[in-house]
């Protein structure tokens, strides 16, 4: 197994960080069409798919999960996974959770990536890593290109994380302000997140790109009824 991205004769360590909110509070916008149990099961399934993809990727040396309340080790795939408690990030919030891990790891490159990406594939992660050659930061947006679903940043870079509303534009502005060279990667598996009720339309278990855990959730849930309710609500 190859553990490091090698440029010339230099081995470069890249680690991934996934932040998981308190489970009961995750994806509250989906409550319009999902029961609390269905919503939590979907959140766990998507996180399992994202972590499985990252943990199996040959160029990711380590995977970190920053967890709020309600998560257990048994929720995650077996294998090497570094777990952190969100409460240990002093200021709280997504960015603080990511930066807590960034301050504690010695990795040269860190891939900050969201947990609601059930279509994430090995080739999506490879595309982001490949774009970071020559120590460029990488920004990977959602489908409408308003939010950012993944950022790869190098240790020597001062690029601040700007996740939240309008983050794709704000990340670009921050890169320019700090003189950080960067590239954008529009990867299908990174772009297709699940935030809003209408996004449930994407979870067709017959889609070959849909992660196994999320596909099982879709098969066990009356997705047609959910989509009908979604369209009625809209």
């Amino acid at each position: 197994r190859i553990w490091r991205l090698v440029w010339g004769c230099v081995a470069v360590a890249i680690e991934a960080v996934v932040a998981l909110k308190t489970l009961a509070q995750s994806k509250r916008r989906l409550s319009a069409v999902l029961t609390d149990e269905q919503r939590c099961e979907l959140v766990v399934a998507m996180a399992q798919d994202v972590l499985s993809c990252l943990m199996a990727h040959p160029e990711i040396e380590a995977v970190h999960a920053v967890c709020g309340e309600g998560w257990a080790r048994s929720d995650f795939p077996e294998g090497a996974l570094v777990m952190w408690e969100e409460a240990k990030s002093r200021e709280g919030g997504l960015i603080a959770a990511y930066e807590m891990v960034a301050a504690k790891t010695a990795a040269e490159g860190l891939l900050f990536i969201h947990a609601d990406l059930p279509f994430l594939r090995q080739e999506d992660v490879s595309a982001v890593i490949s774009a970071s050659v020559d120590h460029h930061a990488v920004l990977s947006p959602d489908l409408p290109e308003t939010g950012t679903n993944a950022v790869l940043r190098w240790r020597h870079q001062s690029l601040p994380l700007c996740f939240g509303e309008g983050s794709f534009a704000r990340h670009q502005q921050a890169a320019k302000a700090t003189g950080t060279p960067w590239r954008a990667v529009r990867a299908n598996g990174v772009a297709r997140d699940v935030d809003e009720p209408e996004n449930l339309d994407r979870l067709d278990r017959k889609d070959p790109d849909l992660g196994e855990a999320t596909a099982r959730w879709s098969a066990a849930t009356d997705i047609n009824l959910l989509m009908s309710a979604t369209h009625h609500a809209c």
Side-chain angles (χ1 to χ4, degrees):
R1 178 171 181 171
I2 301 172
W3 284 99
R4 294 171 184 255
L5 177 67
V6 178
W7 295 335
C9 297
V10 180
V12 181
I14 297 179
E15 301 183 4
V17 190
V18 179
L20 303 166
K21 290 182 179 180
T22 295
L23 187 55
Q25 300 301 319
S26 297
K27 299 298 175 187
R28 297 295 299 178
R29 282 175 282 188
L30 300 181
S31 296
V33 291
L34 297 179
T35 66
D36 286 345
E37 182 179 10
Q38 289 171 329
R39 177 175 52 80
C40 290
E41 288 175 348
L42 174 58
V43 170
V44 171
M46 292 192 295
Q48 289 174 345
D49 286 330
V50 169
L51 291 170
S52 292
C53 179
L54 295 170
M55 292 166 68
H57 198 282
E59 293 175 289
I60 300 294
E61 181 168 297
V63 180
H64 303 262
V66 189
C67 307
E69 294 181 3
W71 293 90
R73 181 62 183 87
S74 58
D75 292 325
F76 306 127
E78 293 188 5
L81 178 67
V82 184
M83 295 181 62
W84 304 83
E85 293 180 14
E86 184 183 27
K88 292 183 178 179
S89 57
R90 290 177 295 178
E91 298 177 5
L94 177 67
I95 293 175
Y98 279 141
E99 293 290 12
M100 176 189 71
V101 177
K104 293 180 179 294
T105 179
E108 287 300 312
L110 283 173
L111 172 62
F112 305 95
I113 188 164
H114 293 343
D116 59 346
L117 307 176
F119 297 94
L120 186 69
R121 311 299 288 179
Q122 297 278 299
E123 52 265 36
D124 300 309
V125 179
S126 295
V128 172
I129 293 174
S130 295
S132 69
V133 70
D134 298 328
H135 286 91
H136 280 70
V138 180
L139 309 177
S140 194
D142 58 14
L143 276 178
E145 299 195 7
T146 55
T148 315
N149 285 341
V151 171
L152 196 157
R153 185 183 71 188
W154 296 100
R155 174 161 296 281
H156 66 274
Q157 293 173 335
S158 57
L159 175 67
L161 297 177
C162 305
F163 292 112
E165 187 175 352
S167 65
F168 190 48
R170 290 189 290 110
H171 273 123
Q172 294 176 64
Q173 292 165 0
K176 293 174 183 177
T178 57
T180 303
W182 64 278
R183 296 186 177 101
V185 170
R186 293 162 177 85
N188 186 55
V190 179
R192 288 200 288 172
D193 53 18
V194 178
D195 274 326
E196 304 290 346
E198 56 267 26
N199 298 154
L200 294 172
D201 285 10
R202 300 172 180 167
L203 303 183
D204 180 357
R205 62 182 180 273
K206 296 179 182 179
D207 189 323
D209 289 336
L210 186 61
E212 292 182 5
T214 307
R216 287 195 298 270
W217 176 90
S218 179
T221 307
D222 193 342
I223 197 70
N224 291 326
L225 179 61
L226 292 177
M227 289 190 291
S228 176
T230 299
H231 295 313
H232 180 73
C234 294

